[in-house]
Amino acid sequence: MITGILKDMISCIRELALDGKAVKIPDLAIFSLGLRTKPADAPDEFTAAKNVESVKLRSRATGVFTRQQLKLAAQVKEQDSYTSPEAEGEGD
C-alpha cells in the first residue's frame, strides 16, 4: 500500500513540477525544476532549442531534513577497524 501511495506521489510531483510549480512536502523537501543553460551573446539570440542544455529536478530540504537539523541529530563515530573495498568480498 505504501509503495502505491509513493508511486502516486511521484507521479503528482512530476506533473506539478513540469507545470512550473514547486511542490513542498513538510519535513522532507521542496521539489522544483531547474534549467542548465549556456549563455547567448544577446537576449534576442537566446532560444530554448539552442541554449537549454538540460532540465534537472531540484530539492531543498525542509523541517527535520535540513542540514542544520541533521547535523544536530547525527552521531559520528570512528570505526574500530577498516577494511579495503577489495578485501570486503574475501569473507573477512
Side-chain angles (χ1 to χ4, degrees), residues 74-80 82:
Q75 295 180 3
V76 180
K77 71 175 195 174
E78 189 168 347
Q79 287 292 106
D80 295 332
Y82 296 94

Side-chain angles (χ1 to χ4, degrees), residues 58-88:
R58 300 184 308 176
S59 64
R60 295 178 303 263
T62 63
V64 297
F65 274 103
T66 62
R67 182 179 304 173
Q68 180 182 10
Q69 290 297 322
L70 290 173
K71 183 178 177 182
L72 292 171
Q75 295 180 3
V76 180
K77 71 175 195 174
E78 189 168 347
Q79 287 292 106
D80 295 332
S81 63
Y82 296 94
T83 307
S84 70
E86 294 83 26
E88 281 185 7

Side-chain angles (χ1 to χ4, degrees), residues 9-39:
M9 182 181 78
I10 291 167
S11 175
C12 291
I13 290 171
R14 181 180 190 276
E15 181 181 333
L16 291 166
L18 287 170
D19 196 32
K21 296 178 173 79
V23 179
K24 181 177 182 179
I25 300 173
D27 290 327
L28 181 61
I30 300 170
F31 299 95
S32 61
L33 294 183
L35 298 176
R36 182 176 302 269
T37 62
K38 57 185 176 183

